[in-house]
């Protein structure tokens, strides 16, 4: 029996107006949470799951630049689709985008829920073996009052029959696509996809949710989300260092920290020879105990001939995120007589920040000469040194 194909729709087309009540102006799905944008965390939760899933993100029409700035890249991450005015309509756009590939199963996830853990995702998928749909849910522990006029209690609900729904919500693709298409033809807005499935007569099962699988809705939810990431985990700070040297050869520009700088020579190397990013990548890999750049991208592999070194840096950053860590700060020092580095520092910091999904304020870039001494002083080559401070879950 062939393995069922799985797709994921991440609904990120909202404006995040309730969170924006704190004056940031940034939609919640693009705001940084412990060093990574919320949407990046949500997308990675599914791309890193053992099940091989295709992922499509439904974004707001005005957010294309914001989404592009996340620098999300993966063979199973499809091009984003433009969502609609309502969550329900945005999901339908995602379903239409997936229709040509006709996956067997589809998971529908709120972008503002960045803590969908592998256990929840697997439980939803497993439940679809015997049900048309499945959602994670939590039992309601508070006493629930029905209030009709906003002031007086009308009745008390039986909380034993109530559950608080979460995402991802999973369905058999053909059934939920058909249900969504029919729902779009009536003047009713459904609160989630499970309600559409119920309305269409599908059997939807519950699987255990997780109290940390919160939906970020209000400004103070970010503080709670930070506590979820760091509060219950014993963390330690690790330091990694990197060093690299490349010689000059005839050319017209050098690549340094992902920025092309015109020069009377270029740096010699198998990739783009970005000596600074090579040192920085090694520093990050060293901090998390993952060897060095040559282990992950051996120069004997022709795939990396002429490759942009931001690819190597992003890989190191992804390993940090996958291990549950976060980058605290990065420090790069370049040593050369020429070219002049200082004019390009802001662009270099921007490249690193966007590649790793961290704030520019966490990155320092410095440069100095070698006072015309040695091979550096003779402009035969240049050196870069880097350090990385990374917070990681403690391993005893």
């Amino acid at each position: 029996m062939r393995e069922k194909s799985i797709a994921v729709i991440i609904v990120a087309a909202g404006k995040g107006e309730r969170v924006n009540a704190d004056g940031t102006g940034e939609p919640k799905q693009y705001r940084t949470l412990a060093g990574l944008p919320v949407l990046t965390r949500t997308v990675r939760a599914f791309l890193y799951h053992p099940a091989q899933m295709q992922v499509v993100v439904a974004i707001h029409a005005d957010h294309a630049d914001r989404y592009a700035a996340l620098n999300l890249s993966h063979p199973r991450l499809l091009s984003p689709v433009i969502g609609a005015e309502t969550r329900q309509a945005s999901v339908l756009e995602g379903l239409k985008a997936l229709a040509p590939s006709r996956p067997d199963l589809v998971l529908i996830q709120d972008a503002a829920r960045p803590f969908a853990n592998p256990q929840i995702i697997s439980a939803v998928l497993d439940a679809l073996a015997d049900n048309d749909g499945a959602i994670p849910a939590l039992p309601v522990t508070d006493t629930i009052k029905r209030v009709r006029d906003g002031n007086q209690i009308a009745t008390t609900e039986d909380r034993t029959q109530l559950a608080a729904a979460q995402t991802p919500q999973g369905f058999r693709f053909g059934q939920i696509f058909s249900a969504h298409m029919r729902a779009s033809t009536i003047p009713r807005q459904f609160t989630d996809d499970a309600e559409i499935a119920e309305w269409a007569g599908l059997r939807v099962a519950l699987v255990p949710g997780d109290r940390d699988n919160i939906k970020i809705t209000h400004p103070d939810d970010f503080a709670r989300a930070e506590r979820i990431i760091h509060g219950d985990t014993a963390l330690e700070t690790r330091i990694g260092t990197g060093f690299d040297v490349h010689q000059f050869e005839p050319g017209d520009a050098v690549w340094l920290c992902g920025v092309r700088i015109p020069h009377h020579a270029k740096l010699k190397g198998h990739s783009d020879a970005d000596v600074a990013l090579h040192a920085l990548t090694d520093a990050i890999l060293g901090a998390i105990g993952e060897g060095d750049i040559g282990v992950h991208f051996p120069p004997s592999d022709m795939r990396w001939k002429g490759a942009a070194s931001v690819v190597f840096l992003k890989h190191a950053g992804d390993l940090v995120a996958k291990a549950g860590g976060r980058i605290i700060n990065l420090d790069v020092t370049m040593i050369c007589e020429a070219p002049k580095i200082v004019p390009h520092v802001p662009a270099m910091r921007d490249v690193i920040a966007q590649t790793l999904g961290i704030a520019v304020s966490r990155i320092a870039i410095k440069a100095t000469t070698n006072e015309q001494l040695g091979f550096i002083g003779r402009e035969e080559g240049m050196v870069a040194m880097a350090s990385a401070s990374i917070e990681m879950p403690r391993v005893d």
Side-chain angles (χ1 to χ4, degrees), residues 31-246:
R31 282 182 57 179
T32 299
L33 174 61
L36 281 177
V38 170
L39 181 53
T40 297
R41 290 184 176 275
T42 305
V43 170
R44 288 180 174 181
F46 294 88
L47 291 177
Y48 289 160
H49 190 275
Q52 299 292 296
M53 308 176 191
Q54 280 192 318
V55 177
V56 63
V57 183
I59 66 173
H60 193 280
D62 296 338
H63 295 169
D65 289 343
R66 285 188 171 97
Y67 182 82
L70 299 179
N71 288 315
L72 295 171
S73 177
H74 194 281
R76 288 184 276 106
L77 179 62
L78 306 180
S79 298
V81 298
I82 301 301
E85 288 296 317
T86 66
R87 181 190 184 280
Q88 178 181 329
S90 293
V91 171
L92 182 55
E93 292 303 312
L95 291 168
K96 290 176 180 178
L98 293 171
S101 60
R102 198 75 180 181
D104 296 306
L105 308 175
V106 62
L107 301 177
I108 302 170
Q109 170 73 7
D110 295 327
R113 284 191 193 269
F115 301 123
N117 61 47
Q119 293 75 27
I120 289 178
I121 296 170
S122 295
V124 170
L125 291 172
D126 290 344
L128 293 178
D130 302 309
N131 299 279
D132 302 322
I135 69 168
L138 292 173
V140 173
T141 56
D142 293 327
T143 297
I144 303 299
K145 303 294 185 180
R146 184 178 294 277
V147 182
R148 292 196 176 92
D149 62 0
N151 295 302
Q152 298 293 320
I153 295 172
T155 186
T156 299
E157 301 289 346
D158 180 1
R159 68 184 179 190
T160 64
Q161 297 185 30
L162 300 175
Q166 299 182 334
T167 65
Q169 299 189 353
F171 307 92
R172 296 171 184 173
F173 180 82
Q175 291 178 323
I176 196 64
F177 189 16
S178 175
H180 257 281
M181 289 293 289
R182 286 190 286 139
S184 69
T185 66
I186 65 172
R188 172 182 171 182
Q189 284 298 310
F190 296 83
T191 59
D192 68 358
D193 306 286
E195 187 182 9
I196 291 178
E198 299 156 28
W199 168 79
L202 303 180
R203 295 174 300 120
V204 181
L206 299 183
V207 302
D210 190 309
R211 297 206 178 277
D212 286 344
N213 186 25
I214 65 169
K215 183 177 182 182
I216 297 174
T217 304
H218 302 286
D220 57 0
D221 290 336
F222 274 91
R224 182 182 175 191
E226 292 272 359
R227 291 194 298 271
I228 289 171
I229 293 173
H230 300 300
D232 298 329
T233 303
L235 298 172
E236 60 187 12
T237 300
R238 299 186 186 180
I239 306 296
T241 61
F243 176 92
D244 198 24
V245 56
H246 282 273

Side-chain angles (χ1 to χ4, degrees), residues 253-333:
V254 294
W255 283 95
L256 294 172
C257 288
V259 176
R260 186 180 186 275
I261 303 174
H263 191 47
H264 58 71
K266 68 176 183 177
L267 290 170
K268 182 179 180 180
H270 185 66
S271 63
D272 62 4
D274 190 328
V275 64
L277 288 192
H278 292 181
L280 183 56
T281 300
D282 270 352
I284 294 172
L285 293 173
I288 63 176
E290 286 286 347
D292 62 21
I293 196 169
V295 172
H296 298 267
F297 303 97
S300 58
D301 190 336
M302 295 305 293
R303 285 183 299 169
W304 313 121
K305 184 173 178 58
S309 294
V310 289
V311 173
F312 309 153
L313 182 65
K314 184 177 186 305
H315 175 73
D318 287 346
L319 290 177
V320 172
K322 193 172 183 180
R326 70 166 184 144
I327 295 170
I328 299 175
N329 73 286
L330 304 171
D331 190 8
V332 181
T333 301

Side-chain angles (χ1 to χ4, degrees), residues 6-23:
I6 307 166
V8 184
I9 299 169
I10 296 178
V11 190
K15 293 182 178 179
E17 290 173 338
R18 280 176 285 185
V19 165
N20 282 339
D22 66 353

